[in-house]
Amino acid sequence: MATEDDTIFHDIESQESKDPSPPLVSDKGPIYHSHPTMLELSGHPILTDFGDMRLVEPMSTDWAMPDISRAPEVLLKLPWTDPVDIWSVGVMTLELLEGKNLFDPVDRENHQYVLPLALAQYIGYLGPPSLEMAKRSPLFSQYFDDQVRAQSADLLTDEWLMKPNDIMGLAFPSQEEPEPVS
């Protein structure tokens, strides 16, 4: 999209030179994370793939797309085709409207993508994938089981929730007032 004032790009360049984004090195070259910005945008959006176009014939299972906008089928390492582009447009549109990313599955301290965090964020916002979709994923047994999500009635008698307060320890601290210290 166009911007009325391009000084923000100089600010980004300055910030990047002071605190460079460490690249994630892949077999296709370095991938750089960018710093969040709040641009004043105008005009019509122009979509681009920044040279990362992929052929999907036959259906691909490549680990593709930026960390913050990876489609569920890519995340689950399932075969994907061009509908992942619709997902990207939706995530990007929300980002432009809200001024922030919906997903942020990156360990900022170690500068790396965290798949379990990504799965948790997706499930937190969208609910679990269908059991059928999850079972097709090579990650199924690592992150899911045949139930995927318990129903509320199932949780009423869950073993963990039925433990007495003293066994739970810090998970459920006592509501009593602490003894005064003299």
Side-chain angles (χ1 to χ4, degrees):
M1 296 182 76
T3 183
E4 300 285 325
D5 179 11
D6 68 354
T7 58
I8 186 70
F9 298 113
H10 300 290
D11 295 342
I12 294 169
E13 182 180 22
S14 175
Q15 181 183 8
E16 188 64 27
S17 67
K18 291 177 188 169
D19 182 22
S21 301
L24 173 67
V25 180
S26 76
D27 59 344
K28 296 183 183 187
I31 301 169
Y32 293 91
H33 292 282
S34 55
H35 296 283
T37 61
M38 286 301 295
L39 295 174
E40 293 290 328
L41 301 173
S42 62
H44 298 286
I46 299 172
L47 298 178
T48 181
D49 66 4
F50 296 107
D52 197 29
M53 181 191 81
R54 309 241 177 152
L55 298 176
V56 293
E57 300 284 338
M59 290 177 46
S60 181
T61 57
D62 288 352
W63 190 245
M65 308 174 78
D67 293 342
I68 59 172
S69 60
R70 199 161 280 134
E73 54 265 57
V74 176
L75 188 73
L76 293 171
K77 298 187 177 183
L78 293 170
W80 54 266
T81 59
D82 53 324
V84 300
D85 294 332
I86 303 302
W87 173 270
S88 291
V89 169
V91 171
M92 180 189 67
T93 301
L94 186 61
E95 179 184 343
L96 291 171
L97 292 172
E98 295 290 323
K100 63 180 182 178
N101 298 317
L102 181 60
F103 305 109
D104 186 27
V106 178
D107 174 353
R108 298 281 172 227
E109 188 172 313
N110 297 307
H111 306 288
Q112 59 186 338
Y113 183 82
V114 181
L115 179 60
L117 178 58
L119 286 168
Q121 289 176 359
Y122 279 53
I123 292 169
Y125 282 114
L126 306 169
S130 70
L131 185 55
E132 177 187 313
M133 181 182 194
K135 281 185 173 182
R136 288 193 331 258
S137 171
L139 304 175
F140 178 77
S141 63
Q142 188 174 359
Y143 296 108
F144 302 97
D145 62 26
D146 286 335
Q147 307 303 312
V148 178
R149 177 178 274 182
Q151 300 298 317
S152 56
D154 300 329
L155 296 176
L156 290 174
T157 57
D158 183 87
E159 179 185 342
W160 185 82
L161 290 174
M162 297 304 293
K163 290 182 181 179
N165 190 27
D166 57 329
I167 295 175
M168 297 304 288
L170 295 177
F172 293 103
S174 172
Q175 300 299 319
E176 297 174 13
E177 290 293 318
E179 294 287 325
V181 178
S182 47

